[in-house]
Amino acid sequence: MKKYVMIDTRMREVEKEKLRSIGYELIELKRAHNVYEEISSHVDIFCTKIKDHVILEKSVYHEITSKIGGSNIYLGQAVLQEKYPLDIPFNVCNVGNFAIHNFHYTDQKVLAIIERLGIEKINISQGYSNCSIAVIDSRSAIVTDRKIYNTLKDYDFNILYLDYIPDIKLLRGNGYSSMHGLIGGAISMIGNHIIVFGDLNKIDKGGMIREFIGSIKKDIIDFKGLDVIDYGGILEV
């Protein structure tokens, strides 16, 4: 049975090849013009996954379903626009039996699926919720936003809080943006692997990220010598 993963089309070829080598066929999100350039092909802007239910924004839904079909893929209702918060309806983070987002702006189809599955909602003020949380397993995550950390620590989560701003890049044009990338878009869980899009050592002050992931018995895939880039994560479908 084929396994698919959705990625930002701008991903470096060495990273694409690594995903292929561990058994995935790639679905590359093309750059869209209804959001700002840095996030124009970010998976976590156009798609979300709640348990095994994948909800897609209209501009990517038909292309993706024509390639892979699937009864677990749904058309979202929100149409994304460039100005925040009109770009965040699908940026929901699912950790175990919790969904984390600013639920004032969540896509209605996503909300309906959350309710139907009995997922507990955790409301936060940060609309880029999935961008800001690197999910490591069903109860573990890494965050750099203190407000998110202060909210999640009151739940049954295993949270690593980084009290520094990691050097994560965002793409713009043929180079990097002046904006900072976010950790949830640069570190993704896929199968039993945690993939870091770049060299983990470049963002891992004191080795705390590597130690945290190791304590959860996850394999780390990273790319020695490369800058760490926020691609909006990846999503297995």
Side-chain angles (χ1 to χ4, degrees), residues 93-143:
C93 183
N94 179 208
V95 186
N97 203 48
F98 295 91
I100 306 161
H101 200 221
N102 185 331
F103 287 103
H104 296 293
Y105 305 107
T106 310
D107 174 75
Q108 291 300 308
K109 185 64 177 181
V110 176
L111 281 173
I113 289 172
I114 288 170
E115 296 290 343
R116 177 158 58 85
L117 296 178
I119 305 295
E120 183 174 348
K121 293 186 292 185
I122 301 175
N123 192 69
I124 60 175
S125 59
Q126 170 60 275
Y128 293 118
S129 310
N130 210 16
C131 300
S132 302
I133 303 169
V135 179
I136 306 302
D137 69 8
S138 61
R139 62 174 298 271
S140 304
I142 304 170
V143 300

Side-chain angles (χ1 to χ4, degrees), residues 57-195:
E57 200 255 359
K58 181 173 68 173
S59 65
V60 301
Y61 174 81
H62 295 291
E63 180 179 359
I64 290 171
T65 53
S66 69
K67 290 179 180 177
I68 63 174
S71 59
N72 66 323
I73 300 177
Y74 303 86
L75 173 63
Q77 296 182 23
V79 177
L80 300 183
Q81 298 179 45
E82 182 168 351
K83 188 176 180 181
Y84 181 92
L86 299 178
D87 57 350
I88 65 167
F90 298 94
N91 203 248
V92 181
C93 183
N94 179 208
V95 186
N97 203 48
F98 295 91
I100 306 161
H101 200 221
N102 185 331
F103 287 103
H104 296 293
Y105 305 107
T106 310
D107 174 75
Q108 291 300 308
K109 185 64 177 181
V110 176
L111 281 173
I113 289 172
I114 288 170
E115 296 290 343
R116 177 158 58 85
L117 296 178
I119 305 295
E120 183 174 348
K121 293 186 292 185
I122 301 175
N123 192 69
I124 60 175
S125 59
Q126 170 60 275
Y128 293 118
S129 310
N130 210 16
C131 300
S132 302
I133 303 169
V135 179
I136 306 302
D137 69 8
S138 61
R139 62 174 298 271
S140 304
I142 304 170
V143 300
T144 60
D145 185 307
R146 178 170 285 279
K147 289 183 178 179
I148 294 177
Y149 171 69
N150 286 337
T151 298
L152 297 187
K153 71 180 182 180
D154 293 332
Y155 292 82
D156 184 27
F157 288 127
N158 178 26
I159 302 292
L160 174 63
Y161 169 63
L162 305 181
D163 62 353
Y164 62 93
I165 300 174
D167 184 18
I168 298 172
K169 312 294 188 184
L170 276 172
L171 298 175
R172 182 176 178 86
N174 294 321
Y176 296 141
S177 170
S178 60
M179 301 168 63
H180 285 290
L182 297 174
I183 196 160
I187 298 178
S188 289
M189 175 176 63
I190 185 164
N192 197 46
H193 305 289
I194 300 299
I195 187 164

